[in-house]
Amino acid sequence: MYRIAVCEDDPRTAEQNKTAACHVLDGKGRVRRQDYDIEVFHSAAPLMERLAEDPDVYQLLMLDIQLDGDNGIELAHFLREHQVNTSIIYITDHPGFALDSFPTYPLEYLLKPVDEGRLAAALDLNLTTCAMNGGEDY
């Protein structure tokens, strides 16, 4: 199963990001809870706890950069240092952080509100990469 984590401190935006990803995946003939699942986190701490339990649980993280009291890029640096090799899409209101994100090897850097076309392209790339790396039939 293909698993995505959305980490966004604003509940409304988190739901919009989740809905956009569901719309893209549903449009590709995938069925939620059968072919994919998406979990939402409103802060970095619970996401980090989940990844500490199972570093390979998610194939994709959709991270806000400015989280309440945290920074998505700093979170990604921490995850990379601890060999959490999931793909990352940053979703933010702030284009100025783009260069700071490069050392974390993001799959994409999207501005809010999410452009579904760019999200779809990033999901296609991630699904293909996961399948090529010996993952399940994503």
Side-chain angles (χ1 to χ4, degrees):
M1 181 178 296
Y2 184 67
R3 290 183 179 86
I4 300 173
V6 173
C7 190
E8 165 65 59
D9 56 347
D10 177 62
R12 183 172 169 225
T13 303
E15 192 58 35
Q16 289 171 342
N17 293 344
K18 178 181 175 181
T19 299
C22 287
H23 187 254
V24 168
L25 292 168
D26 292 346
K28 297 181 180 308
R30 304 197 184 255
V31 178
R32 187 163 174 222
R33 295 191 182 95
Q34 177 182 320
D35 299 318
Y36 74 93
D37 203 8
I38 302 176
E39 289 183 66
V40 174
F41 298 87
H42 296 292
S43 65
L47 174 59
M48 290 176 66
E49 288 172 19
R50 180 70 174 104
L51 289 166
E53 293 169 11
D54 184 357
D56 300 319
V57 67
Y58 301 111
Q59 286 71 47
L60 178 66
L61 303 178
M62 295 171 63
L63 300 178
D64 185 13
I65 289 183
Q66 290 191 313
L67 296 161
D68 188 29
D70 290 303
N71 179 297
I73 294 174
E74 290 173 9
L75 169 62
H77 278 292
F78 178 84
L79 296 175
R80 294 298 188 228
E81 288 168 5
H82 290 86
Q83 273 62 59
V84 176
N85 293 317
T86 185
S87 295
I88 296 171
I89 295 176
Y90 291 108
I91 301 175
T92 185
D93 287 321
H94 306 283
F97 289 112
L99 292 177
D100 295 336
S101 75
F102 280 117
T104 65
Y105 306 103
L107 179 62
E108 182 61 275
Y109 190 98
L110 301 175
L111 295 178
K112 297 175 187 175
V114 170
D115 177 298
E116 254 186 54
R118 288 186 63 186
L119 179 61
L123 288 172
D124 282 344
L125 178 60
N126 191 236
L127 287 162
T128 300
T129 302
C130 288
M132 288 181 0
N133 288 334
E136 301 172 28
D137 185 20
Y138 294 113

